[in-house]
Amino acid sequence: MTESADPFDAIPLSRRALSARPAPYLDDLNPAQREAVEALDGPVLMLAGAGTGKTKALIARIVHLLAMGKARPNEILSVTFTNKAAREMKQRIGRILGEASEGIAWMGTFHSLSVKILRRHAELVGLKSNFTILDTDDQIRLMKQLISAANIDEKRWPARLLASLIDGWKNRALRPDRVPTADASAYNNRGTELYEAYQARLLTLNACDFGDLLLHCVTIFQTHPDVLAQYQRWFRYILVDEYQDTNVAQYLWLRLLAQGHRNICCVGDDDQSIYGWRGAEVGNILRFEADFPGAKVVRLEQNYRSTPHILAAASGVIASNAGRLGKTLWTEETRGEKLRLIGHWDGEEEARWIGEEVEALQRGGRGLGLMGLDDIAILVRASHQMRAFEDRFLTIGLPYRVIGGPRFYERQEIRDAMAYFRLAVSPEDDLAFERIINTPKRGLGDKAQADLQRAARLAGVPLLDGAREVLAKGGIGGKGAAHLRAFVGNIDRWHKVIQAPHNHIELAEQILDESGYTEMWQNDKTPEAPGRLENLKELVKALEQFENLQGFLEHVSLIMDNETEEAAEKVSIMTLHAAKGLEFPAVFLPGWEDGLFPSQRSMDESGQKGLEEERRLAYVGITRAERLCTISFASNRRVYGQWQSQMPSRFIDELPADHVAVLTPPGLYGGGYGAAVSGFGAAIEQRATKADVYNSPGWKRMQDRAGQRGVAQPQEARGIVIDAQAISPYGLGDRVFHQKFGYGEVISVEGDKLDIEFDHAGSKKIVARWVMPAHQVSDVPF
DNA sequence: CATTAGAATAACACC
DNA sequence: TATTCTAATG
């Protein structure tokens, strides 16, 4: 799927071929790409628009470096955005160079590269080289402890908030002593204090979080010039992909390493910067030339991916953003379908329609020839949108795959099992201890655990030893004590096994068995229990690829992308963020409604900046499509089980009308909602003549549905249209009618929210648009 | 301590 | 709606 039909892949080049003809891999590049590839020394900024072959150029550059003898494979540092991208890149280079490419050791994400460096110099920041990397769960649990130790009400000041604050500081490479005074008011004025406490606690646990991986490296580079110099010499050439998504810490990391020789090549596209919420600074790419005076800037603008209509639509949207470096994508291609735009009555309707369209594409409809399910993707703004599609596709038996959903290693049962492994490997891992001490239930609740904590802290020993002490003193009663004794005994025994030669797979099974963890799920009668047991089996199977438990645990924390390349053809469902770097012949972009996309929260939190990032997200979405791009919105959607009506996304207004075909919405009879789409309203009405609409499959479905559910649906529709604009046309004492709750009386009004005392359903808070004046009920047809 | 019903609350994206 | 939290009960 990624950069699929690439002739580059097809050229098998042995070393001999290389020496016979110095640079055949360059022949396939266009002038801009070639320029970027051949400028080997000094700083280079490659501004690569979507689909302009930047991966190809990056690969050619590495090949060129090696072929020219500029560096050995392990002297090139390449930063990729995901571990998967690194793997794929290595493979492609391997296919070109064969064994000459072996030894490319420093290719990966900032995080995985940082771990590698940090393990070697851990002691310089007070860690041991076998430090553990915390996941979010551990982090939150730890912070909760610190917060209550600081006598702060966790209700008012949630641990999550603190976590995101600290994360933000780390992204900006701010250590506790450097947090600016402007941020001092953060977290009830005690943010920095807790940050400090958190860092201290991490050190005693010999652990660090994701942000620390980078920050510790930067600290080491800054405080130990000898170490830095060593790496500067070692990495003769540096390449960075997705530079627009680097944060301050990553920027410093890079700048420190590149300072000496300045052989750094950054590839990016400011229009595709979509990780601002994670601390990414578009500024990094915007000021590259200032950071590296004399930098060569190369623009890749020829697009090999999409049709002209798709490019024009994407350009039209992104043009509304200010402060861009500016690129103009162009293509030699002249044919192609316009983008399709369609509105639906609600989210279910949208999912149903897309399901049918997918089937149509599969049959070769829509004039694009036969298409496989692998060629089709549905890209959503927020992961909760996925459910509607999963439900629908399950019903119609359409195979799909969700990319980037809840990851394997983040599932509860996997984390629990790993906590058992962690404790067996290192009995002093208190966070693992806390996680599983009462899982399965051992009669050791809050009180018993507090006792253990106190004992351990008093003696200055890990919790496991604290438990020993409490047991010896008889500090815990009956049932709990027996369980705890067994638990401690188990850990000791497993730990002993690990010290000696052993079969780690058998041990893992043994641990899960003897701890009662497997049994716990076997006795669980919830529907997800069998799946969890299945996952545990899978976990044990994954162990086979490792020498021992330690090795496994080290790798797991970073390999977060679950790579299950199945052969079966499936439609892909994923978020827009997860779609970065991918491309598909046909792309569906559902849920283009204001509030959902652009997301209200983004706009609330980051204002204009947030909106621009959302717009870049739209740009990324559209440019994933090669041949057919379909944007849709729904007038009504369930949010937290409550129906809400929304306006079509403002981004729809920004689509250049010339490149968009407006389809007849199946649920839209006689104008109505679609007419609200400025610029497209006329088009919709033109097409939606009565004959069209009443013969459309959509109308038929509409009738089916009315049959199934009674007349409720259309009535509801009418109510919404009537009151769509109104804030609150109601006053105290008004009689109103609600579709579900029947008649009632307004007892208070707050903006558009009404308190209604229903005749039969009690009192409810209802948004005004969901009710209609009681006297109007009889006016409604159907 | 565990269980549970009912209430509160939640949801943007990820290495 | 679905999950998580709380308080009350066993």
Side-chain angles (χ1 to χ4, degrees), chain A residues 258-422:
Chain A
Q259 240 162 25
H261 46 60
R262 305 203 321 148
N263 291 328
I264 182 169
C265 170
C266 292
V267 185
D269 178 358
D270 51 316
D271 290 336
Q272 294 189 62
S273 163
I274 54 177
Y275 281 95
W277 51 274
R278 205 167 76 182
E281 295 277 345
V282 210
N284 289 347
I285 195 167
L286 299 179
R287 60 157 200 259
F288 185 87
E289 290 180 80
D291 287 332
F292 296 98
K296 188 177 191 68
V297 179
V298 183
R299 284 185 156 74
L300 305 191
E301 298 183 306
Q302 182 175 3
N303 177 290
Y304 298 96
R305 178 185 294 162
S306 311
T307 66
H309 286 308
I310 291 170
L311 290 184
S315 306
V317 171
I318 200 67
S320 305
N321 271 7
R324 304 167 52 220
L325 287 173
K327 286 180 307 307
T328 316
L329 294 184
W330 59 278
T331 175
E332 288 173 352
E333 181 61 62
T334 52
R335 297 155 302 166
E337 301 290 316
K338 288 185 175 181
L339 268 80
R340 305 189 301 165
L341 174 65
I342 184 167
H344 298 280
W345 172 245
D346 62 15
E348 287 173 30
E349 176 65 52
E350 184 181 49
R352 187 171 317 158
W353 185 82
I354 289 180
E356 280 164 18
E357 283 298 299
V358 168
E359 288 173 334
L361 288 169
Q362 228 184 335
R363 289 192 304 268
R366 308 293 171 263
L368 294 171
L370 285 178
M371 229 179 235
L373 293 179
D374 280 347
D375 296 331
I376 304 169
I378 298 163
L379 311 182
V380 298
R381 174 64 182 88
S383 54
H384 65 259
Q385 291 172 262
M386 293 179 180
R387 163 157 305 166
F389 294 98
E390 294 198 55
D391 285 353
R392 181 63 193 161
F393 293 174
L394 280 173
T395 317
I396 61 175
L398 185 66
Y400 68 88
R401 102 182 89 229
V402 170
I403 295 183
R407 292 146 203 283
F408 185 70
Y409 289 112
E410 282 173 14
R411 292 170 203 201
Q412 182 193 340
E413 66 276 17
I414 301 302
R415 288 190 167 180
D416 287 343
M418 303 239 302
Y420 273 103
F421 299 162
R422 274 162 63 188

Side-chain angles (χ1 to χ4, degrees), chain A residues 696-735:
Chain A
S696 77
W699 171 252
K700 291 193 186 110
R701 265 196 306 278
M702 197 69 192
Q703 288 186 313
D704 291 347
R705 196 166 52 186
Q708 281 164 21
R709 298 188 194 167
V711 294
Q713 204 72 21
Q715 234 171 17
E716 215 174 7
R718 195 54 189 266
I720 288 160
V721 174
I722 290 168
D723 294 322
Q725 305 294 83
I727 303 296
S728 181
Y730 303 103
L732 291 182
D734 284 0
R735 290 288 293 171

Side-chain angles (χ1 to χ4, degrees), chain A residues 138 141-142 145 201 205 419 423 429-439 449 453 457 463 487:
Chain A
D138 292 332
R141 199 140 22 87
L142 209 157
Q145 290 172 14
R201 188 89 182 91
L205 289 165
L423 204 54
D429 189 333
D430 283 355
L431 289 164
F433 184 96
E434 283 169 31
R435 182 174 181 107
I436 52 173
I437 178 61
N438 203 26
T439 312
Q449 289 189 42
Q453 293 277 4
R457 187 143 311 180
L463 284 171
F487 180 79

Side-chain angles (χ1 to χ4, degrees), chain A residues 20 31 145 148 152 162 192 200 204 280 291 369 394 430 461 538 549 575 633 640 643 645 654 667 734:
Chain A
Q145 290 172 14
S148 74
I152 294 173
L162 181 62
T192 43
T204 64
D291 287 332
L394 280 173
D430 283 355
V461 294
E538 223 173 292
L549 282 182
T575 64
F633 60 91
Y640 304 140
W643 283 101
S645 67
E654 297 171 3
D734 284 0

